[in-house]
Amino acid sequence: MTSAGVTAETARGFARCPACGLITYTRRLVRTGRVCPECGAHGRLSAPERLAQLLDEGSATALPADDPVRDPLAFTDSRAYPDRLALARRATGLTEAVVCARGTIGGQPVTVAVMDFGFLGGSLGTVVGDRITRAAEAALAERTPLIIVTASGGARMQEGVFSLMQMAKVSHAVAALDDAGLLTVSIITEPTFGGVAASFATCTDVLIAEPGARMGFAGPRVIEQTVRERLPEGFQTAGFLLEHGMIDMVVPRGELRLVLCRLLAVTRPSVFAEVADMVIRDPATLPEVDAWDVVRAARDPARPTTLDYATALLDGFVELHGDRLAGDCPAIVGGVGVLLGRPVLLLGHQKGHDTRELVRRRFGMASPEGYRKSSRLLRLAAKLELPVVTLVDTPGAYPGIAAEQRGQALAIAEIIKQLCSLPVPVVSVVTGEGGSGGALALAVADRVLCRESGFYSVISPEGCSAILWKDAAAAPQAARALRLGARHLLASSVVDGVVPEPSDPAAAMAAVGDAVAVTLAALDHTDRRELVANRRARFRRF
Ligand SMILES: [Zn+2]
């Protein structure tokens, strides 16, 4: 997969895939972006090749870069450091291990820094740190998103402690983009380790890894030699990182531009399209429905899930994964997309339509990782000033030993308090079951809506009947005693409106989208302090 492996045979115009052994025309490999047409292995790209692939044709302008030789330690191992730099320059045609440019992706302006592993292993010298810092400063000055493509073995030992300081220097420049509300994206390529992994590769808003790319703090050899542990299959690869909640997604090279276009689209300021306000606000206009019928309807596995809503209602939805701590909860999904013209963050419990999916999604019962992922995405929404839509459909938070060990109660408490101060509009829709604290965690909103057949409850009817009737079979009576249903929720102002539910499923989903857009549009221009004060007042009255 190394460029060395490929270039060895380029003289004859052929290259051999180090992963599957396929021998192919080098010209064909260049066309596929060095992705093996047989096995999909992603070969290494030079920084200029990467820039050409990522940016719109002809849009790239290199950022000004001086190319001093800095040798602060007068370092020599088997070769003097300046000689080593000179060799790297000659071998790569580059002056350092990163190339920075401004340009466009799908017509949208960006600033890009691309590391090149071929130049001294992409090591983080002072010039590399300088260039990336200046790219971030250019992004700040021109108010564009920043995209960093990483490939690095870590620090540059020849520059000693000055190399270490680059981690902090670049991080400061990225933090300034956070303060300015500008999107930052890392594209993690094979390999990304050490000080690069522990700073700008992972302190950005969205982390995308290429298939097969490995990232970590300590490299596998260091781990094996230091602690003498055998490493599991796939250790530190993109799939491992996704499973452990560290990155948002794994994106094949051929789809990178599309995903970036969609992410960049959510940074464009815009307003909701005008739609008719069909939200029901008078409980008297709602029919009396038996509470147990409501419960059964709300639990119907044929009902749309959050991902169904995301696909149907949002243009260019990009799902974001992971709590950046330990895992990715399948029972809560979230991401960004454009709802009726306005970019939003969507979060919601995720069930499924069949047993396999329901089991995989734990019936929509979220783990602490799910609430922590939600917290992370809410911080992103606040930074990018995206209104938030949450869809509630859960029997409750996941009750399990592992969930308790990782602080289920703390994760729920954290997100509830976070929502109390979130400086962007939040609208919640109870689309199915709203079960206890696990539901409320996503429903501390400026406006709470409910679908006609949704319900919201302190406990499941089964749980209530088991405790108070000493008999789970008394669930229907319990449901009636708890007065479950939209009519009671609206009459008691627990919800602010009810979304009408036409029998056609597509129309019912569209009604949710319209109700959310109408509600958010009314809040979108409220002063942020007033917004938070009103949200507090809303819950103060209970
Ligand atoms: Zn191959």
Side-chain angles (χ1 to χ4, degrees):
M1 214 184 293
T2 63
S3 56
V6 172
T7 46
E9 301 189 50
T10 44
R12 281 172 281 142
F14 291 98
R16 186 175 174 281
C17 171
C20 74
L22 178 82
I23 293 177
T24 180
Y25 286 112
T26 310
R27 243 187 307 172
R28 186 173 176 208
L29 263 187
V30 170
R31 267 205 311 277
T32 61
R34 299 205 184 275
V35 175
C36 172
E38 183 68 25
C39 73
H42 282 48
R44 184 168 296 144
L45 290 176
S46 70
E49 282 176 314
R50 172 72 67 176
L51 275 173
Q53 263 192 30
L54 221 47
L55 296 176
D56 296 338
E57 211 178 325
S59 75
T61 317
L63 291 183
D66 53 357
D67 51 354
V69 172
R70 286 190 203 147
D71 186 14
L73 308 183
F75 192 93
T76 300
D77 46 55
S78 59
R79 203 187 284 277
Y81 176 44
D83 296 344
R84 205 173 278 286
L85 272 175
L87 278 176
R89 286 180 173 184
R90 223 170 305 140
T92 59
L94 301 173
T95 52
E96 255 298 350
V98 68
V99 178
C100 302
R102 60 170 72 85
T104 57
I105 296 176
Q108 305 173 90
V110 288
T111 309
V112 193
V114 181
M115 302 188 80
D116 194 311
F117 192 79
F119 193 105
L120 297 183
S123 53
L124 181 55
T126 53
V127 176
V128 173
D130 253 3
R131 287 188 184 179
I132 301 175
T133 300
R134 276 194 238 169
E137 288 165 353
L140 181 64
E142 288 152 33
R143 295 204 59 82
T144 74
L146 175 71
I147 299 171
I148 307 177
V149 183
T150 62
S152 174
R156 187 171 294 178
M157 283 173 279
Q158 294 91 338
E159 296 189 22
V161 73
F162 301 106
S163 170
L164 188 64
M165 293 303 125
Q166 304 311 308
M167 293 168 68
K169 184 169 83 184
V170 180
S171 296
H172 273 284
V174 174
L177 297 178
D178 289 345
D179 298 342
L182 294 166
L183 178 72
T184 55
V185 179
S186 294
I187 298 167
I188 294 155
T189 73
E190 164 71 5
T192 296
F193 280 99
V196 169
S199 62
F200 52 86
T202 55
C203 73
T204 51
D205 297 325
V206 180
L207 272 54
I208 301 172
E210 284 200 327
R214 290 169 308 145
M215 182 190 74
F217 187 58
R221 228 178 338 149
V222 172
I223 298 172
E224 273 177 329
Q225 285 167 6
T226 314
V227 298
R228 310 218 172 272
E229 280 176 339
R230 259 189 75 86
L231 303 177
E233 185 79 20
F235 185 65
Q236 295 179 322
T237 59
F240 169 98
L241 299 170
L242 186 66
E243 191 190 324
H244 289 88
M246 282 179 258
I247 58 171
D248 286 287
M249 61 192 113
V250 181
V251 179
R253 201 168 280 168
E255 294 165 25
L256 258 181
R257 269 177 57 90
L258 174 72
V259 171
L260 288 172
C261 278
R262 290 177 162 190
L263 286 172
L264 294 169
V266 308
T267 66
R268 274 196 303 233
S270 51
V271 294
F272 289 105
E274 265 186 57
V275 287
D277 184 356
M278 307 295 278
V279 176
I280 301 161
R281 295 190 179 81
D282 177 4
T285 61
L286 286 167
E288 288 274 11
V289 185
D290 179 66
W292 187 242
D293 288 342
V294 168
V295 172
R296 285 192 304 178
R299 290 174 177 171
D300 184 347
R303 287 174 84 85
T305 65
T306 295
L307 286 177
D308 294 330
Y309 286 108
T311 315
L313 302 179
L314 301 188
D315 290 324
F317 175 68
V318 182
E319 189 180 349
L320 301 172
H321 293 269
D323 64 353
R324 300 269 167 92
L325 285 171
D328 182 49
C329 174
I332 286 188
V333 295
V336 291
V338 178
L339 171 68
L340 292 163
R342 170 81 163 101
V344 296
L345 177 90
L346 176 79
L347 270 179
H349 300 98
Q350 177 67 22
K351 291 185 174 175
H353 298 302
D354 54 53
T355 310
R356 232 186 80 206
E357 184 71 358
L358 279 164
V359 168
R360 190 172 89 75
R361 302 280 184 182
R362 283 197 232 100
F363 297 87
M365 292 188 284
S367 58
E369 291 87 302
Y371 294 113
R372 291 184 176 126
K373 168 168 69 180
S374 306
S375 283
R376 174 174 86 78
L377 295 181
L378 290 173
R379 285 195 294 277
L380 180 65
K383 173 183 161 175
L384 299 177
E385 296 191 351
L386 300 176
V388 174
V389 183
T390 66
L391 303 182
V392 174
D393 187 13
T394 179
Y398 188 71
I401 296 170
E404 292 299 317
Q405 281 169 335
R406 294 195 296 272
Q408 182 71 286
L410 284 77
I412 293 173
E414 184 196 336
I415 188 171
I416 289 175
K417 200 167 108 178
Q418 181 187 16
L419 281 163
C420 295
S421 302
L422 200 78
V424 288
V426 184
V427 169
S428 269
V429 186
V430 181
T431 57
E433 288 182 272
S436 82
L440 178 72
L442 293 192
V444 182
D446 300 303
R447 299 285 183 275
V448 182
L449 307 175
C450 184
R451 272 185 65 166
E452 265 190 85
S453 63
F455 74 90
Y456 201 1
S457 175
V458 65
I459 189 169
S460 71
E462 288 80 2
C464 177
S465 69
I467 294 168
L468 297 181
W469 276 260
K470 319 280 182 218
D471 177 9
Q477 284 118 286
R480 287 170 202 129
L482 288 165
R483 305 186 62 185
L484 300 185
R487 200 171 195 265
H488 173 67
L489 288 172
L490 187 58
S492 56
S493 299
V494 171
V495 305
D496 305 284
V498 172
V499 183
E501 204 167 313
S503 54
D504 170 50
M509 279 204 279
V512 170
D514 289 359
V516 166
V518 161
T519 311
L520 280 176
L523 298 164
D524 214 3
H525 302 290
T526 313
D527 171 78
R528 295 320 191 207
R529 256 179 310 186
E530 195 185 325
L531 188 73
V532 170
N534 291 345
R535 193 182 305 146
R536 288 193 185 164
R538 184 188 185 279
F539 287 90
R540 177 68 177 83
R541 49 191 172 84
F542 294 116

